[in-house]
Amino acid sequence: MKEKALQKPKQKKAMSNYTILLIIIGFVYILSMLVPSGSFQRVNGNVDPSTFTITPKIILNPIDVILQTPKTALSASGSTIIAMIVVGGAIGVITENGALDVGINVLMKKFKNKVLIIIPLLFAYFGALGMVGVMTVLPFIPLGIELARRLKVDNIFAVAVLALGAYGGFMASPISTFSTAVAQDIAHLPIFSGAGLRFTLTIVLLATMAAYLTWYAARVRKNPANSVLEKIDFGDSAPTEFTEEHLSKRQALSLVLFFSGFILFSICATKFKFGTSQLAGIMLPVGILCGLVSGFDFGKTMNVMVRGAARQMPSMMVMILAAGITTILSSSGILDSIVYYLSQTLIHFNSGLAAVAMFIVNSIINFAIPSSSAQAATVMPIMTPMSDVIGVSRQVAVLAYQLGDGYTNLLNPANGALAACLALTHTNFKDWLKLILPVYGIMFVECCVALLIAVAIGWC
């Protein structure tokens, strides 16, 4: 009896991202049986808001959902998965030759006690990518992990320092072709008009997130108990002290090649609308060149790239599993029904509150329609005539859509890319919410104030 009394109680095991996704898939499947199926008529891909009709109820066969999910994953994330494989391979090369470790070590030594200045610099870079609609941070997570390890922060920081910047830049972007341009075109507004207010709001949001994450990192560096994680776990990588190593010419050249590839992609993403498949196309030769200038032969270079790509496999499995949610929502015919019923609540508010309500409703809709262009095509044809009736300018309606589409991207447990990032850093969605909810509360207020100001000044 004494031995039993002395036994330590078993710690409750944290729920894995895979388990959380399975629970969500089950919930959405049940929802698909309860919500009426319905549809809008579409003209050139745009919804005619006056044509919503209830359609015969569609009850999905679970076997069909299972068989359709890989096809959905291929359609939605195929190019992203390829980019993850290629970029993961390229990162594997600069890790194998020691350039990444030594390069970060040199950078940390250069800043010494001011190393946290790297955080706003990263927010500026990834925020700029986010503004042009590039939010593919998953391939960069190994870089984030190494940065977090060197900063002596926790592993969830590796996700936050990349994802918050990219998604924050996207949220109110004045130049995104995936959200701003699509929504303004549907609302019959000049493309990229109203850029001044959007750019100002983007800077405010990015500055808020960068300041919060810098504060958080400083607290964890001072005392690891301030981390939102019960245990800081970098897997097989333990924090190390700075050394006196210097970059060799080969290592320096491989780093220059590696980051030049991303700079080239950033430029092409802006000018030529490059996406994730083109990112893979650029980084494949870059990875090979990095290996060759490191002194590896072609065979060793490819073997190292394969090992680097293999580290991305857990993330890719999460993305494939998450595609089941999209399969259920689209195949059951409840997407249009969800949009219709939520949009009906907006007609009961005055102009200022209606703008805020549009933001909130679009935030909810984004859980069901994570694609920004798909949400614009579905929602803006409804929001546009509604804004005319309730006294909200169409420009404000577009901003409300943008903010709603961007705000809940990182609050959505069904976000396959986010779940994959968390899996790669040995963390879970519960820990993620602990980290970001405080700053997201501040950002919610900032978004609402921005919309109220836009209405008050008659922004159009």
Side-chain angles (χ1 to χ4, degrees):
M1 294 295 291
K2 289 183 178 180
E3 290 182 359
K4 289 184 178 180
L6 292 173
Q7 287 180 353
K8 292 182 179 179
K10 291 183 178 180
Q11 290 185 343
K12 188 176 180 181
K13 189 176 180 181
M15 193 177 296
S16 73
N17 294 303
Y18 304 106
T19 304
I20 293 172
L21 279 174
L22 281 176
I23 292 173
I24 295 172
I25 289 171
F27 172 77
V28 173
Y29 182 76
I30 294 172
L31 193 67
S32 73
M33 294 187 287
L34 300 177
V35 176
S37 299
S39 68
F40 291 103
Q41 292 181 14
R42 286 168 168 78
V43 179
N44 297 324
N46 294 331
V47 170
D48 181 344
S50 64
T51 61
F52 178 78
T53 56
I54 298 296
T55 58
K57 185 61 192 162
I58 301 173
I59 302 297
L60 298 177
N61 184 333
I63 302 299
D64 291 337
V65 173
I66 294 171
L67 295 177
Q68 181 66 24
T69 293
K71 183 178 180 181
T72 303
L74 178 63
S75 174
S77 306
S79 61
T80 300
I81 289 174
I82 291 173
M84 289 167 58
I85 292 172
V86 174
V87 176
I91 291 173
V93 172
I94 61 171
T95 301
E96 179 75 14
N97 69 10
L100 181 60
D101 189 68
V102 177
I104 293 177
N105 181 71
V106 170
L107 188 63
M108 297 297 102
K109 284 178 62 181
K110 181 177 178 62
F111 284 101
K112 295 182 180 178
N113 294 329
K114 298 180 181 179
V115 291
L116 294 182
I117 198 174
I118 294 172
I119 296 175
L121 292 177
L122 285 173
F123 266 85
Y125 176 72
F126 282 96
L129 286 180
M131 279 197 288
V132 299
V134 179
M135 296 174 291
T136 307
V137 299
L138 196 53
F140 300 93
I141 292 298
L143 285 174
I145 292 173
E146 185 62 19
L147 178 63
R149 182 171 69 86
R150 288 291 186 169
L151 285 174
K152 296 184 179 179
V153 194
D154 50 31
N155 29 321
I156 203 167
F157 171 87
V159 181
V161 75
L162 304 177
L164 288 178
Y167 282 85
F170 172 79
M171 195 180 298
S173 171
I175 55 174
S176 171
T177 56
F178 303 104
S179 58
T180 317
V182 175
Q184 288 182 327
D185 183 53
I186 295 172
H188 304 293
L189 295 170
I191 302 301
F192 299 145
S193 57
L197 190 148
R198 286 186 173 86
F199 183 75
T200 301
L201 179 55
T202 298
I203 297 301
V204 170
L205 294 173
L206 287 173
T208 300
M209 291 187 284
Y212 171 77
L213 203 59
T214 302
W215 169 79
Y216 174 79
R219 292 183 73 238
V220 176
R221 279 166 57 83
K222 184 177 181 180
N223 182 2
N226 290 322
S227 169
V228 297
L229 305 179
E230 293 183 3
K231 179 183 178 182
I232 298 177
D233 175 21
F234 289 101
D236 57 359
S237 298
T240 57
E241 298 297 329
F242 299 146
T243 67
E244 297 302 320
E245 290 180 286
H246 298 281
L247 280 172
S248 68
K249 290 182 179 179
R250 287 182 179 274
Q251 289 173 328
L253 182 55
S254 68
L255 282 178
V256 169
L257 285 170
F258 179 79
F259 286 106
S260 294
F262 285 110
I263 292 172
L264 175 62
F265 171 71
S266 301
I267 295 171
C268 291
T270 304
K271 290 190 174 183
F272 307 113
K273 299 181 182 180
F274 274 21
T276 50
S277 59
Q278 287 80 18
L279 172 62
I282 290 173
M283 294 308 295
L284 179 59
V286 166
I288 294 172
L289 285 174
C290 285
L292 296 178
V293 301
S294 299
F296 304 157
D297 59 32
F298 184 70
K300 181 176 180 179
T301 297
M302 296 309 299
N303 286 332
V304 170
M305 290 187 72
V306 168
R307 290 199 295 271
R311 299 189 186 103
Q312 306 282 354
M313 184 56 69
S315 303
M316 290 186 281
M317 289 304 298
V318 169
M319 295 177 72
I320 293 170
L321 188 61
I325 298 169
T326 304
T327 300
I328 295 170
L329 288 173
S330 58
S331 300
S332 64
I334 67 171
L335 268 180
D336 283 0
S337 299
I338 291 172
V339 170
Y340 173 77
Y341 291 126
L342 288 175
S343 67
Q344 293 305 295
T345 63
L346 297 180
I347 61 176
H348 303 295
F349 297 93
N350 63 39
S351 57
L353 292 178
V356 174
M358 284 181 177
F359 160 50
I360 295 172
V361 169
N362 274 282
S363 298
I364 298 170
I365 291 173
N366 190 52
F367 284 104
I369 312 177
S371 167
S372 56
S373 55
Q375 185 171 338
T378 304
V379 172
M380 284 311 301
I382 299 172
M383 298 297 185
T384 300
M386 188 177 297
S387 66
D388 295 338
V389 173
I390 62 180
V392 174
S393 75
R394 294 188 175 190
Q395 197 73 266
V396 172
V398 170
L399 180 60
Y401 144 75
Q402 275 185 271
L403 294 176
D405 171 64
Y407 186 79
T408 47
N409 279 327
L410 294 181
L411 296 175
N412 186 356
N415 182 333
L418 173 61
C421 290
L422 296 175
L424 205 59
T425 55
H426 309 286
T427 55
N428 57 53
F429 189 72
K430 181 180 177 182
D431 297 326
W432 175 251
L433 288 182
K434 286 181 183 178
L435 174 65
I436 70 168
L437 281 181
V439 71
Y440 260 64
I442 297 171
M443 289 163 55
F444 178 81
V445 174
E446 291 174 343
C447 291
C448 291
V449 169
L451 288 167
L452 291 173
I453 290 174
V455 171
I457 64 176
W459 183 54
C460 59

